[in-house]
Amino acid sequence: SQQGEEDPQALSIQEGENATMNCSYKTSINNLQWYRQNSGRGLVHLILIRSNEREKHSGRLRVTLDTSKKSSSLLITASRAADTASYFCATDPNAGGTSYGKLTFGQGTILTVHP
Amino acid sequence: EPEVTQTPSHQVTQMGQEVILRCVPISNHLYFYWYRQILGQKVEFLVSFYNNEISEKSEIFDDQFSVERPDGSNFTLKIRSTKLEDSAMYFCASNWGTGGEAFFGQGTRLTVV
């Protein structure tokens, strides 16, 4: 699999339910970032978790990072119809000081929240 | 809240024509990037720019592509002779430093006909 692979590819839930999306990656990282993209629109930064962090919260978002398994998860609690979007993880590699912040994105998870 | 702005939002061009996509990064940011997203595919890194020079580029960023920061605010991506396969959404991003969150613009949808 490629760097930054999300699963599931698509997720359909009812409003009020929780949505969990997973991301796996292959190389060591400085940090991992989650972005949201509404259809055909720009990328909105949601949360950044550093390689020395295990969990981070922001509002209804909870992100975990397991560097031993090279994986991360994004949990959206109490989902709303407005959360319908594509969600991407992006890794900032740890390249021994030669990284210039280049991000490698996964394929994304398409989340649909039904009212 | 400061934001990255891109113009135009949509550009249609004929194959073989040159296009310039424009971006105004966030003012105190030091690192600038271009990414592209072909419809239905993942976002791909094109190039990073720091201290007035390219710091890293991908295989996609061949001799047809160039970037420039012509003044203290604009950051441009030029495609010299567009191909049909250059049709994509192009995103500009900026960052105050590596290891921090990258802020993306709304994108320019380029359609080559």
Side-chain angles (χ1 to χ4, degrees), chain A residues 9-29:
Chain A
Q9 291 186 331
L11 181 61
S12 182
I13 59 175
Q14 293 296 126
E15 218 169 22
E17 295 182 338
N18 295 342
T20 300
M21 290 159 269
N22 303 298
C23 167
S24 61
Y25 58 92
K26 297 184 88 173
T27 63
S28 62
I29 59 171

Side-chain angles (χ1 to χ4, degrees), chain A residues 2 35 37 40 45 50 100 103, chain B residues 33 35 37 42 89 99 102:
Chain A
Q2 298 177 35
Y35 287 84
Q37 183 181 39
H45 188 273
R50 303 194 186 283
Y100 291 91
L103 295 176
Chain B
Y33 310 87
Y35 291 80
Q37 184 182 33
K42 65 167 78 175
M89 182 79 96

Side-chain angles (χ1 to χ4, degrees), chain B residues 31-96:
Chain B
Y31 294 81
F32 313 111
Y33 310 87
W34 284 100
Y35 291 80
R36 80 171 186 191
Q37 184 182 33
I38 294 171
L39 187 63
Q41 298 188 23
K42 65 167 78 175
V43 177
E44 301 173 289
F45 168 80
L46 293 178
V47 65
S48 59
F49 192 86
Y50 169 70
N51 201 24
N52 284 319
E53 61 182 20
I54 290 174
S55 46
E56 190 173 1
K57 60 184 180 179
S58 71
E59 292 176 354
I60 302 166
F61 195 88
D62 61 22
D63 292 344
Q64 293 299 313
F65 292 87
S66 62
V67 289
E68 195 177 37
R69 189 155 161 81
D71 53 41
S73 59
N74 291 285
F75 180 51
T76 62
L77 173 70
K78 183 192 290 187
I79 308 175
R80 195 185 351 252
S81 177
T82 50
K83 309 183 188 75
L84 293 175
E85 54 264 38
D86 293 327
S87 294
M89 182 79 96
Y90 288 81
F91 292 107
C92 173
S94 69
N95 190 324
W96 64 268

Side-chain angles (χ1 to χ4, degrees), chain A residues 28-73:
Chain A
S28 62
I29 59 171
N30 276 325
N31 64 67
L32 185 145
Q33 306 181 37
W34 284 90
Y35 287 84
R36 166 196 166 122
Q37 183 181 39
N38 284 47
S39 179
R41 306 290 298 277
L43 293 160
V44 175
H45 188 273
L46 295 176
I47 199 164
L48 178 152
I49 186 165
R50 303 194 186 283
S51 60
N52 61 352
E53 297 175 309
R54 292 297 166 257
E55 189 170 312
K56 205 160 181 182
H57 297 254
S58 177
R60 293 184 295 113
L61 305 180
R62 173 177 167 254
V63 168
T64 62
L65 179 65
D66 186 335
T67 52
S68 66
K69 294 180 180 176
K70 292 186 168 60
S71 67
S72 173
S73 68

